Amino acid sequence: MGMAPVAHVLFNKFMTFNPKNPDWLNRDRFVLSNGHGCMLQYALLHLFGYGVSLDDLKNFRQIDSITPGHPEAHDTPGVEVTTGPLGQGFANAVGLAIAQQHTAAVFNKPGFELVNNHIYMFFGDGCAMEGIASEAASTAGHLQLGNLIAVYDDNHISIDGDTKCAFTEDVTKRFESYGWHVQWVKDGDNDLEGIEAAIKAAKEVKDKPSMIRLTTTIGFGSKLQGTGGVHGNPLKSDDIQQVKQKFGFDPEKTFVVPQEVTDLYHKHAADGAAAEQEWNKLFESYGKEHGDLHKDLTRRLKGDLPEGWQDKLPTYKPGDAAIASRKLSESVLEAIYEAVPELLSGSADLTGSNNTRWKKAVDFQPPNLGIGDWSGRYLRYGVREHAMAGIMNGLSAYGTIIPAGGTFLNFVSYAAGSVRLSSLSHQRVIYIATHDSIGLGEDGPTHQPIETLAHFRALPNMMVWRPADGNETSAAYYMALTSKSTPSILALTRQNLPQLEGSTIERAIKGGYVALEDKDAKITLVSTGSEVSLCLEAVKVLKEQGIPARVASLPCVEVFDAQDKEYKLSVIPDGIASMSVEVMSTLGWEKYSHEQFGLNRFGASGPYKEVYKKFEFTPEGIAKRAAATVEFYKDVKPLRSPLNRAFQQLI
Amino acid sequence: MGMAPVAHVLFNKFMTFNPKNPDWLNRDRFVLSNGHGCMLQYALLHLFGYGVSLDDLKNFRQIDSITPGHPEAHDTPGVEVTTGPLGQGFANAVGLAIAQQHTAAVFNKPGFELVNNHIYMFFGDGCAMEGIASEAASTAGHLQLGNLIAVYDDNHISIDGDTKCAFTEDVTKRFESYGWHVQWVKDGDNDLEGIEAAIKAAKEVKDKPSMIRLTTTIGFGSKLQGTGGVHGNPLKSDDIQQVKQKFGFDPEKTFVVPQEVTDLYHKHAADGAAAEQEWNKLFESYGKEHGDLHKDLTRRLKGDLPEGWQDKLPTYKPGDAAIASRKLSESVLEAIYEAVPELLSGSADLTGSNNTRWKKAVDFQPPNLGIGDWSGRYLRYGVREHAMAGIMNGLSAYGTIIPAGGTFLNFVSYAAGSVRLSSLSHQRVIYIATHDSIGLGEDGPTHQPIETLAHFRALPNMMVWRPADGNETSAAYYMALTSKSTPSILALTRQNLPQLEGSTIERAIKGGYVALEDKDAKITLVSTGSEVSLCLEAVKVLKEQGIPARVASLPCVEVFDAQDKEYKLSVIPDGIASMSVEVMSTLGWEKYSHEQFGLNRFGASGPYKEVYKKFEFTPEGIAKRAAATVEFYKDVKPLRSPLNRAFQQLI
């Protein structure tokens, strides 16, 4: 209720959009970072004629409705990004603003200002306190994103009551320190003219993001206005009645929209539809002068990749040199960046370690810094993992970009809040997560992930790839880029990996395949990444002991899960024992193996080969446990593959 | 190398510590938040005579050394907290400063200033960019922590090179906006007097934390000084030689400390030992005047709890009312807060939802705000989950406090970076994680954890508790408080839970027990939290179908894992099938059951009972899958308990 006045002004006086086509590229974007106030957003969508009916509003927070408790992008027409977890929308908006700036730089041509929309975002005290918003705000200031206008709902109330109990910083000064343009509207409840003037002034500032501090009264009009009692709680019925009376509505009626309101909002929607018509004409004539760009943009908006791009993916033969998978990833980027122009790479200050930058990459930077330009396809995120992930969600949501961003696998955990939303909101985002295990060596336990892959394998709609060699790395990129609504984490090594005998892109894109077959095998070793080649060595040790063994490489269990049962049972068959081998938590590997060899403790600082040896991740250490597994299961009848289950999981 | 001058001044001119007793309570604390520079810290520890030898320095980053790649508190005498993951040390230092302020308020008495130490912290550009440091800095400014002095290594270099590429904000102004006192020493390489004056001035500011911006040259003295080439990379040998020559050392010698340096540092160490002697005398006479406080502080420093505290833990009988476990947790806090004075609770702005505050709690606040005082035992962390966790690690590391902090389970993920370090650095920290599942209902998928428990169960040295009723909740607190070097996450419901027939504190502290026995059972239902009572209902449905069943409650798998095998097999026995039931990711449950019923997709927004029904988490839905499980396993011989394994895991 506190943000209703500014929302009314913003949507009707400044924003251009067509409710009949929520996907129109050049629409202004609106992000509600304080997503718990989503009833305001749903009500606006309804008033403007988006596909949100009065019944949908009545079904607020009900099962299978399109009006869930927090805004979800893929559920509700007109909701741009999924918000609610505080601070996320802030970072998403920064991503949308970068995407807008970049898309304009690439596609706008003299006489054809195809892309000139703005990104508007509301945030509250909760968002302002979250680290991700601080990171994103600092980034936006550095990048001089003049197309981003944020309205800060300065209502002095959070769930614990007055913000005075925990949040007494000078928010204005903080945003100025980031390089933002800041204005203050002191009576956000009533001063509609002041609000309008502030947004107008913000639009005129081209070289800085803008923050409008709007002092409002939470639950404005309610008997409880200005208290924590209206934060997320519904009003009591007598209070609702008096509010309605105060603002001139019939207190007895609910879910009624006065005709003059409907007329006003529908008029604005019609103006937006006309604006899109104009734009469509402009785009058509653009096509005559700039045919290739027209084709490229049209393709990007469909989410399709350029024809034949996959032919650029590097392939490897068994004789080829051993290479770290972070370097193999770099080779993929180097090979495909020209073919896939929507790919925008970057790193959270680990460019040289993550190998995320192709040689000829131009940085995305404000041109006046002299170190890049707006058309640049490489983002320097700084040491800001959480904002990087939130920004990537926004980049993806804009519709013209596929973002890839690097950090150490261990520090993808810093970004967990946003990674979760990549999955939930179906964003095609690629996390390039190098230094994926104790194999990073000397940096030690503070940097060696143990729990991280278990975490993200438990996250629905996330592909976790841990490629074992060059072909598997190419396969990981193939799947990451072609899966339009699923994000990916590519867990990559620091240390060199040999090219495997049995690997091909075609096999690896199934998520799992037989890397070494033996029809007489008594055990299947199921492994990923750097341990697959160790397992192949272990097979030799086992052979000497008279135990024939086979190896299954499972670079991505989620993709493997999606194969048909017959195929899966050909990889991990009935009748013989199986053991997983991965140098991290064994949690979850019971699903693919009878026994598990992993690391359910923290690692150690030292040269990586010694660390592997300390924990017995050697051919001998693997063989010893494999032999024990064969022995243990020899009397079990029938010995089913762990993939054989009593019932189907709900998905 | 850039921070050596300030370290020399700080340690020798300002800090008081006794290297022979790194645990002395009133020592000044030093935190190296930019932990990748730990060789500086190890060298200082060696020079002052801590238990770090020249051989230890030579074994830097070698296997099983006490000088790992980043500082680890429990490995190296004199290292206060585990740092390296950027921003963590910053938050830890804020926690140490809070702990100091609180401990002083509780124990200092006229004539007995027992606790008056300072917290010094170094941080770099990387830390400054991390959201957790922003959150912690805002918190410290709000709390007016005058005992905290931070030195910002303003060297303009991060791994990607010049910070100009991503970090151009005005850091001075930002810290001022948080309410910090800020000074700038422009020549941190040479201006030792300026450094000394700045630290002196900072100590005089009693009502604000201090930040000294120290402009330094990274790799000062090296040929590569001032470039990214010296960030984390060793110098080449010719460069090392010229550096040594430049600073007056013999370029041919390595690991040699000139006698005058040794003398100077040992003299300071001896002064510190004498200061501790003085303090010990003071503490002894304190004991004569303030016997109870003396006893209390002595006990706290040993990590022991007061005798008989556990008798205060609430117990419940089957007839008692159904209560949400977040409320049961509140009852525990209410019952024990007087008996356990070192317990310091708090919440990340969800006090009323997390139920973390006992009724008579006083807030920890600067007295001049009029809403609490320094002796207060309730912390308002604001919406800053990551900083809350990092601060709690610092609170715990101080030695006189057991911190407990609340947020929704879903948002413990925002704090994952710090939660990991709670485990790695053996801190007794309690995460009160309410709204633990789809059972939170209307807030919807953005707030409903699916992957979170799998994540933290995969984290070594973490107890994840998901209690099913009142007795289990008391048991969770018993274990969380008595486990001196293991943190805990208590996953608690929003919805009411009935008191179980079979539960007692004694049984539950084993981590798993038989909640319902049946000697003829054909299946064990293995469950946690809110699903245990559903399983008990499912047993009735199964009985009608002629399938006798039993129920095992596993509130904490990590504690259950630590029981002897005979006991564990009495809970999940050989010979019958088993199925886990938990409304979240099934990942990991294969370890404790043959089949798993869970939720490997995101949840839904709606009233919680409807959400449970949608996903078939009903007695009927459970019974259906249990029956399928019995059928599937009836022909397997021998049917071993999933706890029977071929070999032991490394731990």
Side-chain angles (χ1 to χ4, degrees):
Chain A
M1 290 160 77
M3 294 297 271
V6 65
H8 173 78
V9 172
L10 174 64
F11 276 75
N12 281 294
K13 303 236 171 174
F14 293 96
M15 285 183 64
T16 304
F17 50 85
N18 177 11
K20 301 302 168 209
N21 178 13
D23 295 331
W24 172 36
L25 173 62
N26 199 37
R27 70 193 181 275
D28 288 319
R29 306 298 201 276
F30 174 74
V31 175
L32 187 73
S33 189
N34 42 354
H36 50 278
C38 56
M39 188 29 119
L40 170 65
Q41 188 172 12
Y42 297 148
L44 287 166
L45 293 174
H46 169 69
L47 288 173
F48 284 114
Y50 282 86
V52 178
S53 69
L54 263 188
D55 277 341
D56 291 325
L57 296 185
K58 289 177 190 168
N59 278 324
F60 182 46
R61 297 163 76 97
Q62 297 304 306
I63 209 110
D64 295 330
S65 77
I66 64 164
T67 48
H70 294 85
E72 294 186 43
H74 56 290
D75 276 10
T76 317
V79 171
E80 302 285 353
V81 288
T82 298
T83 60
L86 292 171
Q88 297 296 334
F90 197 114
N92 299 160
V94 173
L96 289 166
I98 292 170
Q100 193 278 336
Q101 195 73 268
H102 176 77
T103 307
V106 172
F107 290 101
N108 286 0
K109 294 291 162 193
F112 296 100
E113 204 176 74
L114 280 185
V115 184
N116 60 4
N117 61 304
H118 280 75
I119 316 300
Y120 298 97
M121 179 246 299
F122 288 178
F123 71 101
D125 290 305
C127 294
M129 284 187 254
E130 288 286 5
I132 181 177
S134 295
E135 294 175 3
S138 176
T139 305
H142 167 77
L143 292 174
Q144 305 173 20
L145 299 171
N147 57 350
L148 174 63
I149 297 173
V151 179
Y152 165 38
D153 181 10
D154 175 35
N155 65 22
H156 288 285
I157 294 292
S158 62
I159 291 179
D160 267 18
D162 195 308
T163 53
K164 168 174 124 170
C165 72
F167 188 53
T168 47
E169 62 172 58
D170 182 340
V171 181
T172 294
K173 189 169 178 177
R174 173 152 71 95
F175 274 74
E176 285 172 354
S177 81
Y178 296 138
W180 285 53
H181 174 258
V182 182
Q183 301 173 79
W184 186 11
V185 178
K186 295 185 185 179
D187 179 7
D189 300 328
N190 301 293
D191 185 6
L192 298 189
E193 280 175 27
I195 291 170
E196 186 173 343
I199 300 175
K200 195 154 174 280
K203 283 189 74 170
E204 278 157 20
V205 177
K206 304 289 184 199
D207 60 349
K208 287 181 173 190
S210 270
M211 188 270 264
I212 299 169
R213 177 179 166 196
L214 193 71
T215 301
T216 65
T217 307
I218 193 169
F220 181 61
S222 152
K223 292 180 186 173
L224 295 171
Q225 70 173 37
T227 73
V230 279
H231 191 291
N233 294 327
L235 300 187
K236 295 199 173 137
S237 68
D238 64 326
D239 197 3
I240 292 174
Q241 293 209 344
Q242 71 83 23
V243 169
K244 287 185 179 175
Q245 216 140 21
K246 194 181 287 177
F247 292 130
F249 296 96
D250 183 339
E252 299 306 322
K253 290 189 179 165
T254 59
F255 290 103
V256 171
V257 182
Q259 191 59 43
E260 68 254 44
V261 174
T262 303
D263 291 348
L264 178 70
Y265 278 68
H266 282 188
K267 165 76 172 58
H268 188 69
D271 292 347
E276 193 199 343
Q277 283 302 325
E278 278 300 304
W279 189 90
N280 287 339
K281 279 183 216 155
L282 183 73
F283 191 47
E284 204 183 314
S285 40
Y286 177 82
K288 286 169 191 153
E289 287 197 36
H290 305 284
D292 287 353
L293 286 172
H294 183 277
K295 193 177 151 199
D296 185 29
L297 184 53
T298 306
R299 177 188 61 74
R300 290 196 196 191
L301 292 173
K302 280 190 250 166
D304 294 337
L305 294 171
E307 252 178 70
W309 76 276
Q310 69 272 25
D311 302 338
K312 307 279 184 185
L313 286 168
T315 55
Y316 298 83
K317 297 184 304 293
D320 292 345
I323 307 175
S325 51
R326 60 174 173 152
K327 291 289 292 178
L328 293 164
S329 162
E330 183 178 52
S331 296
V332 172
L333 294 173
E334 199 66 69
I336 67 169
Y337 81 88
E338 282 184 304
V340 187
E342 60 267 50
L343 185 63
L344 198 150
S345 190
S347 166
D349 195 51
L350 286 166
T351 297
S353 301
N354 298 145
N355 301 85
T356 33
R357 193 168 193 269
W358 52 88
K359 284 194 193 72
K360 290 189 181 164
V362 173
D363 280 10
F364 177 88
Q365 294 280 1
N368 61 357
L369 295 182
I371 50 177
D373 62 46
W374 296 129
S375 74
R377 289 169 55 196
Y378 194 76
L379 260 161
R380 306 276 184 177
Y381 289 100
V383 191
R384 306 182 183 104
E385 297 83 6
H386 202 172
M388 174 171 77
I391 287 171
M392 289 204 290
N393 286 338
L395 288 171
S396 166
Y398 193 79
T400 55
I401 286 170
I402 302 175
T407 184
F408 285 1
L409 177 59
N410 195 54
F411 300 115
V412 180
S413 298
Y414 269 44
S418 296
V419 175
R420 178 171 214 276
L421 291 176
S422 302
S423 295
L424 178 59
S425 64
H426 302 187
Q427 301 301 341
R428 177 163 43 172
V429 162
I430 303 173
Y431 294 94
I432 299 177
T434 69
H435 296 64
D436 73 341
S437 75
I438 56 169
L440 64 83
E442 289 86 349
D443 273 344
T446 56
H447 286 55
Q448 292 165 347
I450 299 298
E451 76 285 10
T452 318
L453 292 194
H455 172 191
F456 294 116
R457 284 174 180 147
L459 182 64
N461 193 38
M462 172 60 76
M463 288 189 285
V464 176
W465 285 89
R466 190 167 185 255
D469 74 351
N471 292 330
E472 290 195 8
T473 305
S474 289
Y477 271 96
Y478 178 83
M479 291 301 291
L481 286 163
T482 54
S483 301
K484 291 185 183 182
S485 57
T486 302
S488 305
I489 294 174
L490 314 187
L492 305 169
T493 65
R494 175 174 182 251
Q495 73 272 30
N496 286 340
L497 304 179
Q499 309 304 328
L500 302 181
E501 193 92 34
S503 87
T504 63
I505 294 179
E506 292 67 30
R507 293 170 141 209
I509 59 174
K510 292 190 169 171
Y513 64 95
V514 180
L516 180 74
E517 191 51 281
D518 185 332
K519 296 292 170 203
D520 302 319
K522 292 186 173 168
I523 187 163
T524 304
L525 301 175
V526 180
S527 189
T528 74
S530 40
E531 285 74 73
V532 177
S533 55
L534 276 179
C535 286
L536 293 168
E537 292 301 312
V539 167
K540 296 177 192 164
V541 178
L542 284 164
K543 195 171 186 180
E544 286 167 18
Q545 298 171 14
I547 304 175
R550 57 199 291 284
V551 177
S553 181
L554 255 63
C556 182
V557 294
E558 296 84 0
V559 171
F560 182 64
D561 284 348
Q563 306 304 319
D564 65 55
K565 192 169 177 185
E566 189 185 345
Y567 175 74
K568 286 191 282 188
L569 285 174
S570 77
V571 178
I572 305 171
D574 286 327
I576 65 170
S578 52
M579 180 179 87
S580 70
V581 182
E582 190 175 56
V583 284
M584 40 192 76
S585 173
T586 57
L587 200 97
W589 277 111
E590 299 90 348
K591 187 173 169 189
Y592 306 95
S593 59
H594 295 108
E595 295 288 319
Q596 298 76 39
F597 180 28
L599 197 60
N600 294 312
R601 50 154 286 167
F602 289 107
S605 172
Y608 93 87
K609 286 185 179 169
E610 288 179 41
V611 180
Y612 265 68
K613 204 172 152 193
K614 176 181 170 73
F615 297 119
E616 302 183 33
F617 278 90
T618 57
E620 295 71 24
I622 294 168
K624 184 174 84 179
R625 289 167 178 84
T629 300
V630 171
E631 176 65 22
F632 191 75
Y633 286 88
K634 68 178 182 191
D635 63 337
V636 177
K637 300 281 183 256
L639 181 56
R640 294 199 185 106
S641 165
L643 300 173
N644 257 316
R645 314 300 297 186
F647 56 87
Q648 285 278 318
Q649 294 293 331
L650 286 173
I651 47 167
Chain B
M1 290 160 78
M3 293 299 269
V6 64
H8 173 79
V9 172
L10 173 65
F11 276 77
N12 281 293
K13 304 238 172 174
F14 293 96
M15 285 183 64
T16 305
F17 50 84
N18 177 10
K20 301 302 168 209
N21 179 12
D23 295 331
W24 172 35
L25 173 62
N26 199 36
R27 69 191 183 277
D28 288 320
R29 306 297 201 279
F30 174 74
V31 175
L32 187 73
S33 189
N34 41 355
H36 50 279
C38 56
M39 186 32 115
L40 171 66
Q41 188 173 13
Y42 297 148
L44 287 166
L45 293 173
H46 170 69
L47 288 173
F48 284 114
Y50 281 88
V52 178
S53 69
L54 263 188
D55 278 341
D56 292 324
L57 296 187
K58 289 176 190 167
N59 278 322
F60 182 48
R61 297 163 77 98
Q62 297 305 305
I63 209 112
D64 294 332
S65 77
I66 64 165
T67 48
H70 293 84
E72 295 186 44
H74 58 289
D75 276 9
T76 318
V79 172
E80 303 285 354
V81 288
T82 298
T83 60
L86 292 171
Q88 297 295 334
F90 196 115
N92 298 160
V94 173
L96 289 165
I98 293 170
Q100 193 279 337
Q101 195 74 267
H102 176 78
T103 307
V106 172
F107 291 101
N108 286 1
K109 294 291 162 195
F112 295 100
E113 205 176 73
L114 281 185
V115 184
N116 60 5
N117 61 303
H118 280 75
I119 316 300
Y120 298 98
M121 178 249 296
F122 288 178
F123 71 101
D125 289 306
C127 294
M129 283 187 256
E130 287 286 6
I132 181 176
S134 295
E135 293 176 4
S138 176
T139 305
H142 167 77
L143 291 174
Q144 305 173 18
L145 299 171
N147 58 349
L148 175 62
I149 297 173
V151 179
Y152 165 39
D153 182 9
D154 174 36
N155 65 20
H156 289 286
I157 294 292
S158 62
I159 291 180
D160 268 17
D162 196 307
T163 53
K164 171 175 122 168
C165 72
F167 188 52
T168 46
E169 63 171 57
D170 182 341
V171 180
T172 296
K173 189 169 177 177
R174 171 151 72 98
F175 275 74
E176 285 173 354
S177 81
Y178 296 138
W180 286 53
H181 174 257
V182 182
Q183 301 172 80
W184 186 11
V185 178
K186 295 185 185 179
D187 180 7
D189 300 328
N190 300 292
D191 184 7
L192 298 189
E193 279 175 30
I195 292 171
E196 186 173 344
I199 301 175
K200 194 153 173 281
K203 283 187 75 170
E204 277 157 20
V205 177
K206 304 290 184 199
D207 60 348
K208 287 182 175 190
S210 271
M211 190 271 265
I212 299 169
R213 178 180 165 194
L214 193 72
T215 301
T216 64
T217 307
I218 193 167
F220 180 60
S222 151
K223 291 180 188 175
L224 295 172
Q225 70 174 37
T227 72
V230 279
H231 192 288
N233 294 327
L235 300 187
K236 294 200 173 137
S237 67
D238 64 325
D239 197 4
I240 292 173
Q241 293 207 345
Q242 71 82 22
V243 169
K244 287 184 178 174
Q245 216 143 17
K246 192 180 289 176
F247 292 130
F249 295 97
D250 182 339
E252 300 305 323
K253 290 190 178 165
T254 58
F255 291 104
V256 171
V257 182
Q259 191 59 43
E260 69 253 43
V261 173
T262 303
D263 291 348
L264 178 72
Y265 278 69
H266 282 187
K267 166 76 172 59
H268 188 70
D271 292 347
E276 192 198 346
Q277 283 302 324
E278 279 299 304
W279 188 90
N280 287 338
K281 280 183 215 155
L282 182 74
F283 190 47
E284 204 183 316
S285 39
Y286 177 81
K288 287 168 191 153
E289 288 197 34
H290 305 284
D292 287 352
L293 286 172
H294 184 279
K295 194 176 150 200
D296 184 29
L297 184 54
T298 307
R299 177 187 62 72
R300 290 196 197 192
L301 291 174
K302 280 190 249 167
D304 295 337
L305 294 171
E307 253 178 66
W309 75 276
Q310 68 272 26
D311 302 338
K312 308 278 185 186
L313 286 168
T315 55
Y316 298 82
K317 297 185 303 295
D320 294 344
I323 307 175
S325 51
R326 61 175 172 151
K327 292 290 293 178
L328 294 163
S329 163
E330 182 178 52
S331 296
V332 172
L333 294 173
E334 199 66 68
I336 67 170
Y337 82 87
E338 282 184 304
V340 187
E342 60 267 49
L343 185 64
L344 198 150
S345 190
S347 167
D349 195 51
L350 286 166
T351 297
S353 301
N354 298 146
N355 301 85
T356 34
R357 194 168 193 267
W358 52 88
K359 284 194 193 69
K360 290 188 181 165
V362 173
D363 280 11
F364 177 88
Q365 294 280 0
N368 62 358
L369 295 182
I371 51 176
D373 63 46
W374 296 128
S375 73
R377 290 170 56 197
Y378 194 77
L379 260 161
R380 305 278 183 174
Y381 289 99
V383 191
R384 304 182 184 104
E385 298 82 6
H386 203 173
M388 174 171 78
I391 287 171
M392 289 205 290
N393 286 338
L395 289 170
S396 167
Y398 193 80
T400 55
I401 285 170
I402 303 174
T407 185
F408 285 1
L409 177 59
N410 195 56
F411 300 114
V412 179
S413 297
Y414 269 43
S418 296
V419 174
R420 177 169 215 277
L421 291 175
S422 301
S423 294
L424 178 59
S425 65
H426 302 186
Q427 301 301 341
R428 178 162 42 172
V429 162
I430 303 173
Y431 294 93
I432 299 177
T434 69
H435 297 65
D436 73 340
S437 75
I438 56 168
L440 64 82
E442 289 85 347
D443 273 343
T446 56
H447 286 55
Q448 292 166 347
I450 299 298
E451 76 286 9
T452 318
L453 292 193
H455 173 192
F456 293 117
R457 284 174 181 147
L459 183 65
N461 194 38
M462 172 61 76
M463 289 189 285
V464 176
W465 285 89
R466 189 166 185 254
D469 73 351
N471 292 328
E472 290 195 8
T473 304
S474 289
Y477 271 96
Y478 178 83
M479 292 302 291
L481 286 163
T482 55
S483 300
K484 292 184 183 182
S485 57
T486 303
S488 304
I489 293 173
L490 314 187
L492 305 169
T493 65
R494 174 173 182 251
Q495 73 272 30
N496 286 340
L497 304 179
Q499 308 303 328
L500 303 181
E501 194 91 33
S503 87
T504 64
I505 294 179
E506 293 67 31
R507 294 171 140 206
I509 60 174
K510 294 190 168 170
Y513 65 95
V514 180
L516 179 74
E517 191 52 279
D518 185 329
K519 295 294 170 202
D520 302 318
K522 292 188 174 168
I523 187 164
T524 303
L525 300 175
V526 180
S527 189
T528 74
S530 40
E531 286 74 74
V532 177
S533 55
L534 276 181
C535 285
L536 292 168
E537 292 300 313
V539 167
K540 296 177 193 164
V541 178
L542 285 163
K543 195 170 186 183
E544 287 167 18
Q545 299 171 12
I547 304 174
R550 59 199 291 284
V551 177
S553 180
L554 255 65
C556 181
V557 294
E558 296 84 0
V559 170
F560 181 65
D561 285 348
Q563 306 305 319
D564 64 53
K565 192 168 175 184
E566 189 186 344
Y567 176 75
K568 286 192 282 188
L569 285 175
S570 77
V571 178
I572 305 171
D574 285 327
I576 64 170
S578 52
M579 180 180 87
S580 70
V581 182
E582 190 175 55
V583 284
M584 41 192 75
S585 173
T586 57
L587 200 95
W589 276 110
E590 299 90 347
K591 188 173 167 189
Y592 305 96
S593 58
H594 295 107
E595 295 289 319
Q596 299 75 40
F597 179 29
L599 197 59
N600 293 313
R601 51 155 285 167
F602 289 107
S605 172
Y608 93 87
K609 286 187 180 170
E610 286 179 42
V611 179
Y612 264 68
K613 203 171 151 194
K614 176 181 170 72
F615 297 120
E616 301 183 34
F617 279 90
T618 57
E620 295 72 24
I622 295 168
K624 183 174 82 178
R625 288 167 178 83
T629 300
V630 170
E631 176 66 21
F632 191 73
Y633 285 89
K634 68 177 182 191
D635 62 337
V636 176
K637 300 281 182 255
L639 182 56
R640 294 199 185 106
S641 165
L643 300 173
N644 258 317
R645 314 302 297 187
F647 57 88
Q648 286 277 318
Q649 294 293 332
L650 287 173
I651 47 169

